[in-house]
């Protein structure tokens, strides 16, 4: 079905793919895996025809249809339902044709083709796909522009699945999904009858979906039969074989070098020595499987605090005087490992922000230890890192007053030593940026770590390293993640956030999954409640105001970030400073930077508040 023939891609003077070759069986479901930066997305773009390789080709049968999600999410006034239906281009064309054409032969052919492609059941199929990805009936018929970026990417995924390509290319499809939608997607892909190539770093997802693993390393690919667990066993065997072969080769090399050293100067053995020199020069080194020494997570141990760290007593929390979660009763102790379960939009992030003291209770109370430090990780922190700065510059600004040795030590805990500490953030991989964000939020040895989807940019090996680090961390952890493997190995308490409440879930993660799947094979979206006209109008006005507020706050954040970057440059390199900043003293620059930071934090709070409001409307 798909043959990769000696594909070579060079970008920016670096070889990303190096004569990569593999033959994928027809109808196979292939997981494309590899370390961050290995070239997985590059390979997908080559297969999709979006990138021309320097050498080689990706060959498929003539006329085969390839499906791949574009980088930009769909937008506009069309609804998710309309967008998904239009993804089947042939159906849309034929449906338009039978409405306008009058030629009997043309109409006969069109109707025959519509029946062949099962066009008349398409609306029901489109609705089922959207429902599976979390869109209830009301959400399916709202404009795309009323949704956040994450929900728009769900629409893009639904449209791709609906189009039924002969080769389905998926690059991290679960990143914008909650656990319920991920389980539905797994069921859908298991029943998909064409070839699938999926880039994923989720062990359980790969084990449940794929029947082959295509491992990309050092620019080359190796195809393994089976799921991820099978791949790991086969790779371990291969590593042992390579290690034995390498040891044998080194023994031979040492013998040759010893013979050459002893016999080159003797006339009687000079020719034999020369032949061995040629043999040595032709001996190709056996490559070892890469083992990234910078793949490091080492959370600093917090000081001891007496329990509890936090107690919620009948607390309400929400936005704009509207509670999202009510009558919360929750106690967090220093050794707790808690995973928050529930659909996106149910309030998991709202609860996390309450525990991080970014939101205050509207009613009831929250008592927290006065000496407690909290480290709160979100995807926004990864995206907001200054790409022109280095990890060292980021950490130096964050750890005000710390010695250079202390700054370097904190960076080293997360793999940023040597040249990595002085590499521009713009040149770091997504996983490395996530590690930098984790290094920043843990600089003060927090007693409580709140991690909201920490694995989105991490490859499988990095996720394993993070799991090990969390299990060795001596503080409390609150985890929001759709990665079941991480939840299973990290959390010992489950809290279900649903129906405006957050309650202990009495059971295991398997029990929760069974509950979700019981009675229906798709995650049910809540049925929309009937609203009177006044309530609908008020909701639309609130949605419009929230969108405007989010847009204004985002624009202000961008302007303030530019101003702060200019101040930073003036502080670190006065020769490049803008004229108005060059006149200021260092103390004035530091004061200005502090003011800008406060304004950015305020703008970010307004933006997050507006975004949460939009997500509530989408839920």
């Amino acid at each position: 079905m798909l043959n990769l023939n000696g594909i070579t891609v060079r970008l920016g003077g670096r070889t990303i793919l190096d004569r990569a070759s593999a033959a994928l069986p027809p109808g196979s479901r292939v997981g494309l895996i590899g370390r961050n930066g290995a070239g997985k997305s590059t390979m997908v773009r080559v297969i999709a025809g979006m990138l021309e390789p320097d050498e080689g080709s990706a060959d498929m049968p003539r006329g085969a249809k390839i499906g791949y999600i574009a980088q930009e999410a769909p937008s506009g006034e069309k609804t998710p339902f309309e967008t998904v239906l239009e993804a089947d281009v042939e159906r849309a064309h034929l449906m338009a044709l039978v409405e306008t054409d009058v030629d009997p032969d043309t109409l006969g052919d069109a109707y025959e083709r519509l029946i062949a492609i099962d066009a008349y059941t398409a609306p029901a199929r489109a609705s089922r796909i959207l429902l599976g990805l979390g869109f209830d009936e009301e959400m399916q018929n709202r404009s795309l522009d009323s949704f956040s970026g994450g929900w728009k990417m769900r629409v893009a995924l639904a449209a791709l699945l609906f189009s039924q390509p002969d080769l389905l290319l998926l690059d991290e499809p679960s990143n914008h999904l909650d656990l319920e939608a991920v389980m539905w997607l797994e069921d859908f892909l298991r029943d998909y009858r064409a070839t699938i190539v999926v880039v994923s770093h989720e062990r359980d997802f790969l084990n449940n979906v794929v029947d082959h693993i295509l491992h990309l390393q050092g620019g080359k690919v190796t195809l393994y039969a089976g799921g991820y667990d099978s791949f790991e066993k086969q790779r371990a065997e291969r590593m042992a074989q390579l290690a034995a072969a390498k040891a044998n080769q080194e023994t031979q090399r040492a013998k040759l070098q010893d013979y050459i050293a002893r016999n080159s100067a003797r006339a009687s053995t000079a020719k034999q020595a020369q032949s061995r020199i040629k043999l040595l020069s032709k001996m190709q080194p056996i490559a070892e499987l890469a083992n990234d020494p910078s793949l490091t997570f080492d959370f600093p141990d917090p000081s001891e605090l007496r329990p509890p760290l936090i107690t919620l007593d009948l607390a309400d929390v929400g936005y704009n005087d509207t509670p999202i979660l009510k009558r919360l009763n929750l106690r967090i102790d220093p050794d707790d490992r808690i995973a928050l379960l529930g659909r996106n939009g149910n309030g998991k992030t709202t609860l996390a922000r309450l525990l991080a003291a970014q939101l205050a209770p509207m009613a009831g109370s929250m008592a927290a230890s006065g000496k407690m430090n909290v480290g709160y990780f979100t995807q926004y922190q990864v995206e907001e890192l200054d790409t022109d700065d280095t990890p060292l510059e980021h950490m130096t600004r964050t750890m005000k007053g710390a010695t250079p040795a202390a700054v370097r030590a904190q960076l080293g805990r997360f793999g940023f030593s040597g040249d990595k500490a002085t590499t521009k953030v713009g040149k770091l991989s997504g996983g490395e940026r996530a590690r930098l964000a984790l290094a920043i939020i843990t600089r003060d040895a927090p007693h409580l770590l709140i991690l909201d989807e920490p694995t989105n940019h991490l490859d499988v090996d990095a996720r394993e390293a993070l799991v090990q680090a969390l299990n060795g961390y001596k503080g409390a952890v609150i985890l929001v993640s759709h990665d079941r493997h991480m939840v299973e190995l990290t959390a010992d308490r489950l809290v279900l956030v649903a129906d405006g409440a957050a309650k202990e879930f009495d059971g295991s993660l398997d029990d929760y999954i069974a509950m979700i799947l019981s009675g229906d094979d798709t995650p049910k979206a809540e049925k929309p409640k009937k609203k009177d006209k006044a309530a609908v109008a008020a909701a639309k006005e609130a949605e419009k105001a929230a969108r405007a507020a989010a847009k204004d706050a985002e624009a202000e954040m961008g302007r303030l970030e530019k101003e702060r970057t200019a101040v930073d440059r003036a502080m670190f390199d006065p020769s490049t400073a803008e004229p108005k900043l060059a006149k200021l003293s260092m103390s004035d620059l530091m004061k200005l930077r502090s003011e800008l930071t406060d304004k950015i934090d305020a703008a970010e709070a307004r933006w997050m508040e507006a975004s949460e409001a939009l997500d509530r409307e989408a839920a």
Side-chain angles (χ1 to χ4, degrees):
M1 175 63 185
L2 173 62
N3 291 317
L4 308 178
N5 299 314
I7 295 174
T8 298
V9 175
R10 302 179 185 91
L11 298 174
R14 186 167 70 95
T15 300
I16 307 299
L17 302 176
D18 184 13
R19 298 184 297 278
S21 299
L24 308 188
S28 57
R29 298 189 298 274
V30 180
L32 175 58
I33 69 170
R35 286 283 179 86
N36 287 334
K40 299 183 296 297
S41 294
T42 300
M43 177 63 82
V44 170
R45 291 178 64 208
V46 169
I47 296 171
M50 301 172 62
L51 177 65
E52 187 71 24
D54 296 289
E55 299 173 19
S57 61
D59 300 329
M60 287 188 60
R62 187 184 301 275
K65 183 170 67 173
I66 299 176
Y68 178 58
I69 293 181
Q71 294 296 319
E72 293 185 5
S75 59
E77 291 302 315
K78 288 184 179 179
T79 67
F81 182 74
E82 293 169 338
T83 303
V84 171
L85 276 180
E86 291 178 358
D88 189 335
V89 178
E90 182 184 12
R91 177 187 179 278
H93 169 72
L94 291 172
M95 294 296 286
L97 183 66
V98 299
E99 292 292 331
T100 57
D101 206 298
V102 295
D103 179 67
D105 292 335
T106 301
L107 287 174
D109 291 342
Y111 280 119
E112 185 176 340
R113 182 59 184 162
L114 284 170
I115 293 171
I117 64 175
D118 207 16
Y120 296 103
T121 64
R125 185 161 54 89
S127 182
R128 283 199 303 272
I129 292 173
L130 283 166
L131 182 63
L133 293 176
F135 292 85
D136 61 26
E137 184 178 352
E138 185 270 336
M139 293 169 67
Q140 291 182 29
N141 292 286
R142 281 170 35 192
S143 70
L144 287 170
D145 283 345
S146 68
F147 292 98
S148 64
W151 284 96
K152 288 179 181 178
M153 289 307 298
R154 289 194 189 201
V155 176
L157 175 59
L160 176 61
L161 299 178
F162 177 78
S163 67
Q164 294 183 305
D166 301 304
L167 173 60
L168 179 61
L169 298 174
L170 300 171
D171 195 345
E172 292 288 356
S174 62
N175 269 3
H176 300 285
L177 305 181
D178 49 33
L179 179 57
E180 292 81 356
V182 170
M183 290 188 294
W184 176 88
L185 180 61
E186 288 179 0
D187 284 338
F188 183 94
L189 295 179
R190 278 195 295 266
D191 292 335
Y192 198 75
R193 298 306 178 192
T195 301
I196 300 171
V197 176
V198 56
V199 177
S200 178
H201 296 303
E202 292 190 30
R203 180 189 296 264
D204 286 347
F205 183 88
L206 292 168
N207 281 328
N208 292 335
V209 171
V210 308
D211 51 30
H212 286 78
I213 292 290
L214 187 63
H215 184 218
L216 176 56
Q217 179 179 293
K220 301 185 183 298
V221 290
T222 305
L223 187 65
Y224 296 83
Y228 186 82
D229 286 347
S230 174
F231 154 74
E232 283 222 316
K233 292 178 182 177
Q234 295 177 67
R235 183 173 66 160
E237 293 171 358
R238 182 165 176 253
M239 288 176 68
Q241 292 169 356
L242 282 174
K246 187 173 180 64
N248 183 54
Q249 186 187 71
E250 290 301 322
T251 299
Q252 293 182 26
R253 184 185 297 275
K255 289 181 178 179
L256 287 171
Q257 289 172 336
D258 178 66
Y259 184 93
I260 292 167
R262 288 186 293 106
N263 294 282
S264 294
R266 295 168 57 185
S268 60
T269 57
K271 288 185 178 180
Q272 292 90 331
Q274 285 297 318
S275 68
R276 282 162 174 75
I277 290 173
K278 291 180 181 179
L279 180 61
L280 187 63
S281 67
K282 292 180 180 180
M283 185 180 289
Q284 296 296 320
I286 295 175
E288 293 181 286
L289 292 179
N291 204 6
D292 186 356
S294 68
L295 191 62
T296 305
F297 298 90
D298 181 12
F299 299 112
D301 291 332
S303 58
E304 291 188 12
L305 290 180
R306 296 179 62 183
L309 294 179
I310 297 176
T311 302
L312 298 178
D313 184 15
L314 299 176
D316 293 358
V317 62
Y319 308 89
N320 298 326
D321 299 323
T322 302
I324 304 301
L325 301 173
K326 297 181 178 180
R327 301 180 67 79
L328 298 173
N329 291 301
L330 185 65
R331 170 177 167 144
I332 300 171
D333 289 331
D335 58 351
D336 271 333
R337 299 288 194 274
I338 301 172
L340 303 184
L341 305 177
R343 287 189 173 279
N344 288 353
N346 278 4
K348 297 191 298 291
T349 297
T350 300
L351 176 56
R353 293 189 63 200
L354 172 66
L355 297 173
Q358 292 188 1
L359 294 175
M362 295 177 171
S365 65
M366 181 176 85
S369 173
K371 297 181 180 180
M372 180 180 66
N373 289 327
V374 177
Y376 182 26
F377 175 92
T378 71
Q379 290 302 313
Y380 303 124
Q381 292 161 321
V382 178
E383 295 162 2
E384 290 170 1
L385 292 170
D386 192 330
T387 56
D388 291 328
D389 282 350
T390 66
L392 183 60
E393 290 169 335
H394 275 285
M395 193 61 71
T396 299
R397 286 198 303 271
T398 305
M399 295 178 66
K400 295 179 181 178
T403 64
V407 172
R408 288 275 189 176
Q410 177 63 7
L411 286 170
R413 287 177 173 273
F414 292 83
F416 294 98
S417 57
D419 292 341
K420 275 295 181 184
T422 55
T423 300
K424 297 289 187 183
V425 168
K427 295 184 178 181
L428 299 178
S429 68
E432 289 170 330
R433 296 186 195 194
R435 275 196 284 123
L436 177 56
L438 285 167
I440 290 173
I441 69 162
T442 59
R443 65 192 182 276
D444 294 326
H447 302 87
L448 170 63
L449 268 181
I450 303 175
L451 306 178
D452 194 342
E453 296 294 357
T455 63
N456 278 358
H457 296 285
L458 302 181
D459 58 39
V460 180
D461 293 331
R463 292 180 186 213
E464 286 297 324
L466 179 56
V467 167
Q468 293 177 22
L470 288 175
N471 286 334
Y473 170 60
K474 294 184 178 179
V477 175
I478 294 178
L479 178 66
V480 179
S481 177
H482 59 261
D483 188 325
R484 279 160 289 174
H485 182 70
M486 171 161 282
V487 172
E488 286 173 340
L489 294 184
T490 303
D492 52 25
R493 287 176 61 191
L494 302 177
V495 172
L496 178 58
V497 182
D499 301 322
K503 298 179 180 179
E504 297 276 349
F505 182 77
D506 186 16
S508 66
L509 185 61
D510 287 339
D511 294 329
Y512 176 69
I513 292 173
M515 182 189 76
I516 294 299
L517 296 177
S518 63
D520 196 353
D521 59 359
T522 61
K524 294 182 179 180
E526 292 185 7
K527 295 181 179 180
K529 297 177 181 178
K530 293 184 179 180
K531 302 177 182 178
D532 58 41
K533 292 183 179 180
V536 171
K540 288 184 177 179
E541 284 298 316
E543 182 183 315
K544 183 178 179 181
R547 282 203 305 272
K551 185 176 180 180
D552 291 343
E554 187 173 8
E556 185 177 5
M557 286 165 60
R559 177 181 60 80
L560 292 169
E561 287 283 0
K562 288 181 180 179
E563 291 183 22
R564 187 170 69 176
T565 299
V567 172
D568 289 340
R569 287 174 179 164
M571 292 170 65
F572 285 99
D573 189 1
S575 64
T576 63
E578 296 176 3
K580 63 179 181 180
L581 298 176
K583 300 177 182 178
L584 299 179
S585 65
M586 181 59 70
S587 61
D588 287 335
L589 287 171
M590 293 177 67
K591 181 179 179 182
L592 177 57
R593 190 185 191 287
S594 178
E595 293 172 352
L596 288 170
T597 298
D598 290 341
K599 291 179 180 179
I600 290 170
D601 290 342
E604 181 184 13
R606 292 195 299 274
W607 179 81
M608 291 184 71
E609 184 176 328
S611 298
E612 288 274 3
L614 286 173
D615 282 342
R616 289 198 305 276
E617 291 297 321

